[in-house]
Structure formats: C-alpha cells, structure tokens
Amino acid sequence: MKWNEILSEKRERDRVTKNSRPDLRSEFEKDYHRIVGSASFRRLQDKTQVFPLDKSDFIRTRLTHSLEVSSYARSLGDQVGARIIKDGLDPDFCEADRRNITAILSCAGLVHDIGNPPFGHFGEICIRQWFRENLDRIEFKGEKVSRLLSADMLSDFYNFEGNAQALRVLSRLHFLIDGYGMNLTYGLLGAILKYPCSSAEAEPSGKDIARKKFGYFCSEKSLFEDVQKTCGLLGRRSPLAFLLEAADDIAYKTADIEDAFTKGFISYDDLMKELCLLEESDENAFKASEVLVRQYNRGLEEDPENAKRYGVLNWTVRMQSILVSEAADSFIRNYEKIMAGEMKQDLFSGTCVEGLMVLLGKMGFEYVFDSDFIYKLELPTSEIYDYLLTKYCHAVLYYDTDEWEKRRTPVDFKLMSIISDNYLRAYHDQARGKSEAERLYLRLLLVTDNICGMTDSYARNFYRDIRGIS
C-alpha cells in the first residue's frame, strides 16, 4: 500500500465549486467541519456508551467517547507520522502526509460509532435477534421474505452491525446537498472501514482481526469497492484503521474502569487485586499496579480522605498516555507488515500491555456489563426494539409497491409518515431501477435506518407515546 493512495482526497461526488475567497483548509479538514456540524453527530450526545439513560453528567455518552477516541487517534497519527519521517521508513512520506494522517484520524474518531443504534451494543443484539426470529415468518405476496432475499442480504440483518451502519449514515442517510450523504473523502472512509469485508465474509472466530466483524451492507458494496480500489487497499485494512482501533480500545477500556469506579461497580482494591494477579501470572506484563500505588500515594498528600479516588482517576489518565505510546511503537515495529496488509492482530498484541488490555476488557464485562443493574436496564430495551421492529417491518412491507394503498393499515400509514425525509429520500434514490427483492431489502434497511437514527430518549419516549404509556 502507498500513502499517496491511502490518503486519497477523492469523494464519491467530486464537484468543483468556485469560491470568491480562497479556502486554505485541506480536504480532510473540510471533512471535520462537515461532521461536527451534522445532526447525526449531535445525536451521539444522547446515545448510550455503557449506562443507558444515566442521569449523571460525569458518565460518558457516545459523544464524549467519540471525542476521546478522536483525541487519542490524532495523537497516535501525529506520533506515527513523525516516526515514519524520523526513521526514514518511507522516502516519499512527508510532513504534509503527517498532517493529513492526523486530520483523517481526528475525523475517524468522531464518526466511528455514528451508526450505532440506541442503548449501546445491546441494540445491535436486539436487531439481530429480531430478524433471526421473525424474517422466516413474514410473507410478501404469498412468499416468505427469507426466501426472496439473497443469502448476503439475509446475512446483513441476521448479523446487523453498527460499523456497517456507520458507512450508510455517512454516505447515504445524512442529507447535505444530494444523495451522497456527507460526501466524505475516500481516505477517511477507508480509515473507518476497520472490517473490510461483507457480512457473509466475516469470521468472528477467525484469527484475522480485520474479519472479526463486517464493514458494509450489500447496499453500499459498490462504494466500498470504489474506496478500496482508489485507496489501493484491495481487501486489506487501511493502516489508519489499526490506529483508529487502538484509540477506540484505549478510550473505552480505560473509561469503562473510570465510569465503573464512579458508579461504585469497581473499587480501588478491586483494581489493585486484578492488576497484581495479572503481574503474578505474567512476568512480562507492564507493572500497572506500581503506577496505581504512586497515584494513590500522591492522593494521600493531596487529599487524604479521597486518596483512592484520586489514585484510580489519575491512574487511568497515566495509563492512557502509556497505551498511546505503546500503540505507536507497535505500529512502527510492524510497519512493513501493516503496509503489506499482512498484520492480522491489533497493535497491542505481543506488547507488554497486551495482558493489561485484556484484563481491562474482562473487568468491564465481569464487574459492569454482566451485572443485575445492567440487565434491569437492558430488559426494557429489548421490549422497545421488539415492538418498533414489529410495527415498522409491517409498515414498510408493501410501501412503494402497487399494493400499498390496498394493504396498508392506518397505523402503517402514520408510521411511514413520520420517518425522516432524508431516510425516505435515500431509500427512493437507491431503489430506483432495482428488482423487487432488492427494493424489499432496502425497505427493511429503511426500518433499521430509522431506528438506528433514534437517540435513547427518543426511542423510549416514542415507544411510550405509541403504546399510550404515561
């Protein structure tokens, strides 16, 4: 792979506009401004990171998480770019390329979760489960929907992914000027495609990190292929995707510990015990417990009554800095493999912090996600998804067909009337000239588009309103 292709400024719709004033922004800086001014980005302020509908101002949302990922990704890009130049890893790589890398990664961090449905990753699970349980029961013109759709189309719903939805939001659903979404640069789209494969090609239990999930739906296949070709990726991950993934891992794994501590799920003693057990079992593990002790001792000097709180919160900040440096070093050590598309693991694999990253994820799950508190929050969520998916899939079934007027119910008509005009426009743009099966597939995507576009509060309140629950 070559940096001049990876950092492609091409857009799906390339249109030259004449400005009376010179615009000194790079194409990637223009992407940044398009993103932060979008409604899709603003909605992240009311989407769950870990704790659904939490009242605390401290607990992170998808928006604050995305801002953190953007910050870490930018730092990683800056460090890696400087090292490529300093170490002479690529004679054609220049200072302008370093600036472009940091700009792209800043943008990628902002939008990496923009396709996630309400109520966190549990929302993805609810969508997958509903389609697996119901698509075989729904009939369209006397035939089961599951037999009308292709295997690839069915796989998109059975394995629904927020990562693939992100590409849809950015390229189709956001209405800027026309049907090209935000019309972002291919260099940026390549960076957010951490999983350059379709739902049918994904291998969750495989060894290749780039195939653990999938990155695009059938509806965006042609765009995906154009991005891959233009950026010279050809089925491989963009090198920037490794840096984005590392930034995401750093942000959520350290933040989950911090949020869990604040909510009382994890104590200072819990964290110390887990770190010590890790270091006893792995002599090569980074001595994170020593960092925690140092921060605790500083807490005793600064605020003795809250020394443990001081210790944990400052430990996460210190670890974030260490993890950024380790990820950057790993990228440089594996530079040739990454640029050849041969890197199959994340940047923390084989480093002294690999065990720590695994432990932080394990603690987040065992102390927080796998708890009665979270289960009680998620159970109502599954009811909301079940109801909305049932109602909307019935409503879209005959929409835009010659049987719509005859088949629709008053409820169907009202539900369709309140779907975003942007989403309806995107459907009609993509459905034009397609076969009946393809249009049916796109109508079912219209349902997931609509629900994924909801915030947590809107989804809950909308459910209550249409069910008459005061």
Side-chain angles (χ1 to χ4, degrees):
M1 291 180 275
K2 300 177 182 178
W3 284 111
N4 65 324
E5 294 177 337
I6 295 166
L7 305 176
S8 171
E9 297 181 351
K10 178 182 175 180
R11 302 178 189 273
E12 190 175 11
R13 177 194 28 81
D14 276 325
R15 184 173 69 182
V16 178
T17 56
K18 293 182 179 180
N19 296 316
S20 56
R21 299 178 180 179
D23 191 338
L24 300 180
R25 297 175 299 169
S26 73
E27 292 302 312
F28 308 118
E29 289 169 336
K30 293 175 185 176
D31 282 347
Y32 189 91
H33 297 144
R34 292 183 185 194
I35 292 163
V36 296
S38 70
S40 300
F41 180 67
R42 289 195 298 275
R43 289 191 190 103
L44 295 176
Q45 67 187 310
D46 188 18
K47 286 196 173 186
T48 294
Q49 177 63 17
V50 176
F51 300 97
L53 300 167
D54 193 88
K55 304 296 184 184
S56 170
D57 290 335
F58 179 86
I59 300 302
R60 289 165 172 83
T61 64
R62 284 286 171 196
L63 179 64
T64 49
H65 167 69
S66 297
L67 291 169
E68 289 172 341
V69 175
S70 176
S71 175
Y72 299 137
R74 183 179 185 88
S75 293
L76 280 166
D78 196 38
Q79 288 190 32
V80 164
R83 289 282 299 279
I84 293 173
I85 294 172
K86 179 176 177 291
D87 297 351
L89 298 179
D90 186 336
D92 296 323
F93 189 91
C94 62
E95 186 63 25
D97 294 324
R98 183 187 68 82
R99 290 196 299 270
N100 287 336
I101 282 178
T102 59
I104 289 174
L105 286 170
S106 293
C107 295
L110 294 182
V111 300
H112 79 286
D113 275 349
I114 208 164
N116 281 32
F119 309 112
H121 288 299
F122 186 65
E124 293 173 300
I125 295 171
C126 290
I127 293 172
R128 294 168 196 154
Q129 192 64 31
W130 190 92
F131 280 109
R132 289 173 184 174
E133 292 178 354
N134 292 279
L135 263 193
D136 205 40
R137 303 176 187 175
I138 302 173
E139 290 191 355
F140 177 73
K141 295 186 177 180
E143 192 164 357
K144 289 183 178 180
V145 168
S146 58
R147 293 180 181 175
L148 291 170
L149 302 184
S150 70
D152 288 351
M153 293 174 182
L154 290 173
S155 183
D156 284 352
F157 295 113
Y158 294 160
N159 303 289
F160 185 85
E161 257 296 329
N163 290 288
Q165 185 67 19
L167 182 61
R168 229 178 123 64
V169 170
L170 298 174
S171 65
R172 297 290 175 260
L173 303 183
H174 177 84
F175 189 78
L176 185 64
I177 299 172
D178 47 32
Y180 292 96
M182 294 186 197
N183 196 34
L184 301 175
T185 57
Y186 279 15
L188 172 54
L189 294 181
I192 67 164
L193 284 163
K194 295 193 296 182
Y195 308 103
C197 62
S198 69
S199 59
E201 296 166 334
E203 300 175 356
S205 58
K207 295 183 179 180
D208 187 351
I209 191 72
R211 296 290 186 273
K212 291 290 185 182
K213 299 179 182 179
F214 68 96
Y216 67 95
F217 295 126
C218 294
S219 52
E220 282 69 59
K221 182 178 181 180
S222 61
L223 172 60
F224 166 78
E225 290 175 343
D226 196 24
V227 170
Q228 285 271 301
K229 180 180 179 181
T230 300
C231 295
L233 304 176
L234 306 178
R236 300 166 295 184
R237 257 189 176 188
S238 166
L240 301 185
F242 286 96
L243 296 172
L244 174 61
E245 180 178 59
D248 189 18
D249 288 346
I250 293 168
Y252 88 79
K253 288 187 176 182
T254 58
D256 284 357
I257 297 298
E258 186 177 14
D259 287 354
F261 176 82
T262 301
K263 296 287 288 186
F265 287 90
I266 293 174
S267 68
Y268 171 92
D269 295 326
D270 291 329
L271 180 57
M272 178 60 75
K273 179 190 73 175
E274 296 286 357
L275 292 176
C276 289
L277 287 173
L278 168 65
E279 292 160 19
E280 288 172 7
S281 64
D282 181 3
E283 62 180 15
N284 296 317
F286 179 80
K287 305 304 180 186
S289 64
E290 296 178 4
V291 179
L292 182 57
V293 170
R294 284 199 297 272
Q295 297 304 324
Y296 171 72
N297 289 335
R298 288 179 184 174
L300 288 175
E301 298 173 2
E302 299 285 340
D303 186 4
E305 292 184 3
N306 296 296
K308 290 185 175 180
R309 175 180 174 81
Y310 181 100
V312 173
L313 299 188
N314 284 278
W315 178 84
T316 60
V317 173
R318 180 63 186 137
M319 291 313 303
Q320 287 158 359
S321 176
I322 291 168
L323 292 170
V324 166
S325 293
E326 286 293 332
D329 288 346
S330 178
F331 188 97
I332 296 302
R333 284 197 304 272
N334 292 286
Y335 185 77
E336 291 186 5
K337 285 175 64 177
I338 290 171
M339 297 303 290
E342 297 171 356
M343 184 76 164
K344 304 299 182 184
Q345 298 172 309
D346 65 49
L347 292 179
F348 296 109
S349 294
T351 70
C352 65
V353 295
E354 179 181 8
L356 175 64
M357 293 297 283
V358 172
L359 173 64
L360 295 181
K362 178 173 172 282
M363 288 185 68
F365 177 78
E366 293 182 353
Y367 284 81
V368 183
F369 292 101
D370 191 21
S371 67
D372 291 346
F373 178 83
I374 295 295
Y375 292 161
K376 288 176 182 177
L377 293 174
E378 289 178 340
L379 283 172
T381 296
S382 66
E383 291 297 315
I384 293 172
Y385 271 100
D386 186 67
Y387 187 81
L388 293 181
L389 285 164
T390 299
K391 288 294 184 181
Y392 266 109
C393 282
H394 186 276
V396 303
L397 200 56
Y398 287 94
Y399 175 74
D400 192 35
T401 72
D402 53 8
E403 297 188 30
W404 168 241
E405 295 295 332
K406 179 177 66 176
R407 296 264 193 172
R408 77 181 190 194
T409 68
V411 172
D412 292 339
F413 177 79
K414 291 173 182 177
L415 285 171
M416 294 304 299
S417 70
I418 55 179
I419 290 180
S420 163
D421 288 342
N422 288 353
Y423 298 165
L424 290 172
R425 184 186 294 111
Y427 161 74
H428 286 292
D429 284 348
Q430 286 196 294
R432 194 174 298 115
K434 295 293 195 301
S435 68
E436 189 164 71
E438 289 172 316
R439 286 163 54 213
L440 175 58
Y441 163 76
L442 291 171
R443 289 198 296 278
L444 292 174
L445 275 184
L446 178 57
V447 174
T448 52
D449 290 341
N450 184 48
I451 293 176
C452 287
M454 297 178 179
T455 64
D456 292 12
S457 296
Y458 182 89
R460 179 192 59 182
N461 294 335
F462 182 59
Y463 170 78
R464 288 177 175 176
D465 289 344
I466 60 179
R467 298 224 55 183
I469 300 173
S470 60

